[in-house]
Amino acid sequence: MNRVTALIGAALLAFSAQAAAETRIGVVDLRQALFASDDAQTFSQQLQRDFAGDEEKVRQAQEEARKLKDRLEKDGSMMNESERNKVAGEFQEKVQEFNFLKQRLDATVNQRKQQFLENARPEVDVAVKELLEEHDLDLILPSEAVVYVKPEMNLTSQLLDKLNK
């Protein structure tokens, strides 16, 4: 019985090795191709324009908090207790304002980026399917799932070209 199991196992192993040898696999770095695309560059520039004012408010709150902290460190020992408490309170308020503004900005930007990715997904899927057919591949894997790939099987630049058409 063990001999039959061993023969079946060996046959399956040989068959799977043969099937794997015939499988043609390509690799793409989806993130790199998508974010290097012309659409992504345009999106990034629009994002910077849209949020320039918010980024300035965040920088301003950060700078004001830093100045208050510096003042406390430099002059705190010479201030009376009520003045020191007042400046410390202002510092805490600025830190809270900075944190609030930064979190709100980050959340909004991330939401817009996610929306961009969702909108770009159909175009990326079409481009990947075209690569699959053009190169007569059985499978295209994301580069994050691959340890090593021969340079000729890395199709990222070709995907980028398709996305820029």
Side-chain angles (χ1 to χ4, degrees), residues 43 47 51 104-114:
F43 169 76
L47 204 60
F51 293 106
R104 186 177 69 182
L105 176 62
D106 289 346
T108 306
V109 167
N110 287 336
Q111 183 180 17
R112 291 270 299 269
K113 285 181 179 179
Q114 187 62 36

Side-chain angles (χ1 to χ4, degrees), residues 11-23:
L12 287 175
L13 184 62
F15 177 74
S16 65
Q18 181 183 6
E22 294 173 8
T23 303

Side-chain angles (χ1 to χ4, degrees), residues 51-69 90-91 93-99 101-102 104-105:
F51 293 106
D54 292 335
E55 287 177 351
E56 181 56 35
K57 288 178 185 176
V58 169
R59 276 193 292 278
Q60 188 176 16
Q62 183 181 29
E63 182 61 25
E64 290 172 8
R66 187 192 61 75
K67 286 179 181 178
L68 288 167
K69 181 181 177 194
E90 290 173 3
F91 169 70
E93 287 176 17
K94 279 296 169 191
V95 168
Q96 288 174 350
E97 178 185 352
F98 166 76
N99 288 334
L101 292 172
K102 179 84 169 112
R104 186 177 69 182
L105 176 62

Side-chain angles (χ1 to χ4, degrees), residues 17-69:
Q18 181 183 6
E22 294 173 8
T23 303
R24 292 189 33 90
I25 301 172
V27 174
V28 294
D29 187 335
L30 293 169
R31 197 167 203 50
Q32 177 188 352
L34 184 58
F35 285 111
S37 71
D38 294 342
D39 288 346
Q41 299 303 319
T42 301
F43 169 76
S44 180
Q45 291 167 357
Q46 183 63 44
L47 204 60
Q48 287 177 344
R49 284 191 298 271
D50 291 350
F51 293 106
D54 292 335
E55 287 177 351
E56 181 56 35
K57 288 178 185 176
V58 169
R59 276 193 292 278
Q60 188 176 16
Q62 183 181 29
E63 182 61 25
E64 290 172 8
R66 187 192 61 75
K67 286 179 181 178
L68 288 167
K69 181 181 177 194

